[in-house]
Amino acid sequence: MTAISEAQPAAHAPRRRSVLARLKGNWLQFIMLPVALLWMSPLIWIVLTSLKTKAEVFDPEAGFLPQALNFANYPATLAVAPFGTYLINSIIVTGSILAAQLVTITLAAYAFARLEFPLKRLLFSLFLLQVMFPIYAIFLTNFITLREFGLINTLPAMIVPFVASGYGTFMLRQSFRQVPQELSDAARLDGCGHFGILWHVFLPLVQPTLIAFGIISVVTHWNDYMWPLLVTNSDNVRTLPIGLGLLAKSDSGADWTRLMAGTVIVVSPLLLAFVIFQRRFIDSFMHTGVK
Amino acid sequence: MSLNVARARRNEALLAYAFLFPSLVFLAVFTYWPILRSIWFSLHDVVLGDPEIFWLGAENYLRLLDDGLFWKVFANTALYTLITIPLAILVALLLAVALDSKLRGIGLYRSAFFYPVMIPSVAAGMVWVFLYAPGYGPINEALTFLGLPRLDWLYSSKWALPAIMLMSIWKYSGYFMLILLAALKLVPSDLYEAARLDGVSAPQRLIHITVPLISPTLYFVIVIGLLHSYQIFDYVYVMTQGGPADATNVLTFYIYQNGFQYQDIGYASTLANTLLVFVLGLIGLVSVTLGRRVHYLGER
C-alpha cells in the first residue's frame, strides 16, 4: 500500500492513521449526506406541502418553501372524514391482533422448542407454509370464507385471519431454544409446571424477541391497506389507511395540500414513536434479522 | 417405571397438541382451507354470490394460456419482482456497509433510510403520485433543473412500471439494510484488517469477504423480499389502477379485478394458484441456487 508502514517512526504511526481515518470518514459523509437527503425528500415534501395553500402547489413561480405557514389544511382534512372513528378502529384492530398473536405464538413456540411429540417436523413445516402464503396471496378465498361466516364489514374480519403467525412462531422458537436447559430444570425442581416455567423463566428471557415481533406486527397491521379495503365498506369499521385512501379519491385526487395534511396525521403516531424510541426500536428490529 | 415414562411421554404430547391447537385452528381456516378451496374453485365455474357451480375441469387453465392480458400481467409481475428485489437488496447492502463504519451521526442516517418502512403503503403511493406528477411534480422539476427531459412517469406506459419499482426500492431498502447491518456487526473485524493489509481493495473485500460471510442473512433477506413483493397491490391500486393500458397490472391486482369486479371466482382462483406456484417456484429456485452456497460461520 503506501509507504507509511516502512519508514515511519513508531510514535507517529497512530496519529497518521487517525488523520487518514478521519479523511476516510469525511469522504463517506460526502456521499452519504446527499443520499440521505434524497431519501428524506419525500417526507420533507409531505410536510412542506401540507403547510402550503392550494394555489401555491400549482404555481411554478412559487418557491420550495411555503410563503406563510398555513395550518388550515389540518382541520380541513379532519372535517372530510371521521378520522376519530378510523383512529379508534385502527387501535382496536392492531391491538387485538397483537394480543391474540402473542398468546398463540408463545404456546406454539414453546411446544416446538421444548416438548417432544409425534409429527413435530410435519407440523412445523405446516406453520412455515403460512409464511410463504400470506393472506395477500390467498385473499380471494379468505374473503369468501369470511363472507360465509357473515363477518364482512365487521372489525373481526380484519383481525381473525392474522391470529396465528407462522413467522412469529418461528422467531420465538429460535429464542426459546437458546434458553439454557438448566434454568427450566431448576424451575421444575422448584415445583413449576410447564405453564409456570413458560411464564417465570422463558417469557422474561425472550423479551427482546417479543418486542421485535410486536413492532413488526404493529407496523404491518397499522399500515395495512389491502385487506381492510377488501373486507370493509362503511365508515364505522374503517381504519386510518382506508380513510387516507378515501381522501385521495374524494377530492378528484388533486387536492394535494389536504392530502398531505392527512398523510402527516396518519403517519405521525408511528413516526413519533419511532423518533422517541429510535435506539430501542432499531436494536429490536436488528435483533430479528440475526436469528 | 417404564409405564410411568410412557405416560409422561403421552402427557407431554397431549400438552404439545393443546399448545398448538389455537394456532392450528386459525391456520386451518385461513391458510390451508383457502389453498385447497382455491384449487377446487379453479376447476369449476364459480360466480360470487351464485350458489350454482359447474365442473369445468382444466378449462380455466386453458383459458389462462389463451389470455393475452394474463401473459402481460405475468410478465409485469416477474419483471417487477426480479428487478426491484435484487436492486433494493443491492442498495441495502451498500448502505449497510457504509453505515457499518464509524460514521458520525449514524443514528440520523439509520432513521433517514429506515423511515419509509414505517409509512403506510397507501400514503407512500399517494405521495409519489404527487412527486411523479408530470406538470408540477418535484421529480420533473429536478430533471429540468439538471437539463434532462421531463417524463410522463405514471401516465406513460413505458415509464409507469419503472416508476413503481423506483418507489419500492425507496420503501424497502431501509428494512433490508437494518437486517444486513445486524449481520455485518457479527463479522469479525480482523478479517477485514488482514485483507486490507494484503492490499485487497474495498470492492473486492465486499464481494469476497463480506458477502460470503453474511450469506445466510442475505438469503433470508431475499426470501423476505420475495414475500414483500405482494405489496405491490397497494401501489397499483392507489397509483395507477393497473394502467395506463395495463402497463402496471400485476397478478394480485388482476386477481382482484377478476374476482371482485367481474365476480369470476373460478378464473380468479386459477390466477391465484398461478401466483402461488410462481412465488413458490422463485423461492425454490433461490434455495436451490443460493441456499446451497450459503456459508455458515460458527453456526450453532
Side-chain angles (χ1 to χ4, degrees):
Chain A
M1 296 182 20
T2 50
I4 309 172
S5 51
E6 286 166 18
Q8 284 295 323
H12 284 193
R15 199 171 149 217
R16 186 61 79 87
R17 197 174 298 151
S18 80
V19 170
L20 269 179
R22 207 179 299 161
L23 256 179
K24 190 180 164 242
N26 284 337
W27 167 83
L28 250 185
Q29 290 281 14
F30 277 121
I31 296 182
M32 293 305 283
L33 201 65
V35 177
L37 277 177
L38 196 67
W39 236 258
M40 290 292 290
S41 57
L43 184 65
I44 297 168
W45 223 270
I46 295 171
V47 176
L48 288 180
T49 307
S50 77
L51 298 172
K52 286 181 179 176
T53 60
K54 213 170 166 179
E56 254 180 288
V57 174
F58 297 102
D59 182 2
E61 302 300 309
F64 175 72
L65 295 167
Q67 278 151 356
L69 292 186
N70 165 31
F71 288 96
N73 294 318
Y74 286 83
T77 303
L78 291 177
V80 172
F83 273 93
T85 314
Y86 297 159
L87 177 70
I88 292 168
N89 289 338
S90 273
I91 292 173
I92 294 175
V93 169
T94 314
S96 313
I97 291 175
L98 180 64
Q101 279 178 337
L102 287 177
V103 174
T104 59
I105 67 169
T106 303
L107 293 177
Y110 184 81
F112 283 126
R114 284 299 150 111
L115 299 175
E116 284 309 320
F117 53 94
L119 300 179
K120 190 171 170 177
R121 288 194 146 204
L122 175 77
L123 284 168
F124 192 60
S125 5
L126 278 179
F127 270 67
L128 289 186
L129 194 68
Q130 196 220 16
V131 183
M132 303 289 170
F133 297 146
I135 197 158
Y136 308 101
I138 44 179
F139 63 91
L140 188 76
T141 19
N142 272 319
F143 175 82
I144 294 170
T145 306
L146 285 176
R147 221 171 93 117
E148 287 161 356
F149 288 169
L151 285 178
I152 293 302
N153 211 26
T154 63
L155 290 178
M158 289 179 277
I159 298 167
V160 286
F162 304 103
V163 167
S165 167
Y167 188 55
T169 307
F170 177 73
M171 266 173 73
L172 207 56
R173 165 191 174 257
Q174 299 296 89
S175 297
F176 278 169
R177 281 169 64 157
Q178 285 170 358
V179 174
Q181 181 70 43
E182 300 86 61
L183 281 179
S184 46
D185 288 345
R188 177 155 314 154
L189 286 179
D190 286 346
C192 271
H194 281 290
F195 273 108
I197 293 173
L198 186 54
W199 186 256
H200 293 295
V201 179
F202 280 79
L203 285 183
L205 286 174
V206 297
Q207 241 179 37
T209 310
L210 290 176
I211 292 174
F213 175 75
I215 291 169
I216 294 177
S217 173
V218 167
V219 171
T220 307
H221 297 293
W222 183 267
N223 290 343
D224 192 11
Y225 183 64
M226 182 183 187
W227 187 246
L229 177 80
L230 297 179
V231 297
T232 65
N233 54 33
S234 64
D235 269 341
N236 56 341
V237 291
R238 281 190 162 133
T239 55
L240 281 176
I242 304 296
L244 208 53
L246 291 178
L247 215 58
K249 297 219 175 88
S250 63
D251 297 309
S252 72
D255 191 356
W256 292 110
T257 53
R258 275 194 203 173
L259 213 57
M260 295 302 147
T263 305
V264 172
I265 293 170
V266 173
V267 166
S268 45
L270 273 193
L271 277 191
L272 217 62
F274 175 61
V275 169
I276 295 170
F277 300 110
Q278 201 243 114
R279 260 218 109 71
R280 183 118 201 226
F281 209 111
I282 285 181
D283 286 348
S284 297
F285 224 99
M286 283 171 65
H287 195 84
T288 63
V290 188
K291 295 292 148 60
Chain B
M1 186 65 195
S2 69
L3 203 72
N4 271 345
V5 170
R7 186 179 295 161
R9 200 171 283 164
R10 208 183 56 206
N11 282 344
E12 189 171 317
L14 283 178
L15 185 75
Y17 293 135
F19 276 13
L20 295 181
F21 183 74
S23 294
L24 279 174
V25 169
F26 285 92
L27 287 177
V29 176
F30 295 107
T31 301
Y32 314 140
W33 172 233
I35 293 174
L36 295 176
R37 222 173 163 199
S38 178
I39 296 170
W40 190 82
F41 278 155
S42 74
L43 302 172
H44 292 79
D45 181 15
V46 190
V47 175
L48 192 65
D50 184 349
E52 283 192 70
I53 290 171
F54 302 101
W55 168 258
L56 282 184
E59 215 168 290
N60 274 327
Y61 289 91
L62 294 175
R63 179 177 156 197
L64 184 105
L65 295 177
D66 262 344
D67 180 358
L69 186 52
F70 161 74
W71 288 108
K72 182 170 189 179
V73 166
F74 184 78
N76 285 341
T77 311
L79 208 64
Y80 173 81
T81 311
L82 296 177
I83 292 180
T84 309
I85 303 307
L87 273 183
I89 293 176
L90 183 69
V91 170
L93 183 64
L94 293 176
L95 291 177
V97 169
L99 293 193
D100 191 37
S101 60
K102 289 189 183 66
L103 202 63
R104 197 176 280 196
I106 200 98
L108 284 175
Y109 281 119
R110 287 199 302 202
S111 309
F113 295 122
F114 184 72
Y115 87 91
V117 178
M118 317 261 303
I119 292 187
S121 49
V122 51
M126 287 182 335
V127 170
W128 281 75
V129 169
F130 176 60
L131 297 179
Y132 280 133
Y136 49 86
I139 291 181
N140 266 353
E141 297 297 329
L143 287 179
T144 306
F145 181 75
L146 295 171
L148 295 167
R150 297 166 81 96
L151 296 169
D152 279 339
W153 294 111
L154 297 171
Y155 297 93
S156 137
S157 54
K158 192 171 145 203
W159 286 100
L161 193 60
I164 295 183
M165 290 176 183
L166 198 67
M167 188 213 121
S168 305
I169 292 170
W170 167 80
K171 186 90 166 60
Y172 298 140
S173 298
Y175 183 30
F176 304 153
M177 174 198 77
L178 221 50
I179 299 175
L180 292 173
L181 199 54
L184 285 177
K185 293 265 180 254
L186 297 177
V187 175
S189 57
D190 42 335
L191 271 175
Y192 290 120
E193 200 58 26
R196 208 167 55 86
L197 291 177
D198 282 346
V200 180
S201 70
Q204 278 180 327
R205 273 179 300 194
L206 179 66
I207 295 168
H208 295 295
I209 300 177
T210 313
V211 168
L213 283 177
I214 61 167
S215 54
T217 310
L218 220 43
Y219 178 52
F220 173 76
V221 167
I222 292 172
V223 173
I224 293 274
L226 289 177
L227 298 174
H228 262 78
S229 61
Y230 287 120
Q231 236 189 357
I232 190 186
F233 175 91
D234 295 4
Y235 308 135
V236 168
Y237 188 89
V238 172
M239 297 168 83
T240 61
Q241 287 282 319
D246 288 303
T248 57
N249 202 342
V250 289
L251 268 174
T252 37
F253 192 74
Y254 196 45
I255 295 169
Y256 165 80
Q257 282 183 321
N258 276 284
F260 288 79
Q261 290 178 357
Y262 316 141
Q263 325 247 302
D264 188 347
I265 300 296
Y267 192 54
S269 298
T270 311
L271 294 166
N273 298 342
T274 314
L275 176 67
L276 290 190
V277 171
F278 173 68
V279 172
L280 213 60
L282 272 184
I283 291 176
L285 202 69
V286 168
S287 68
V288 166
T289 53
L290 297 178
R292 295 234 173 99
R293 293 171 60 188
V294 166
H295 297 242
Y296 287 93
L297 186 79
E299 175 67 351
R300 289 138 289 188

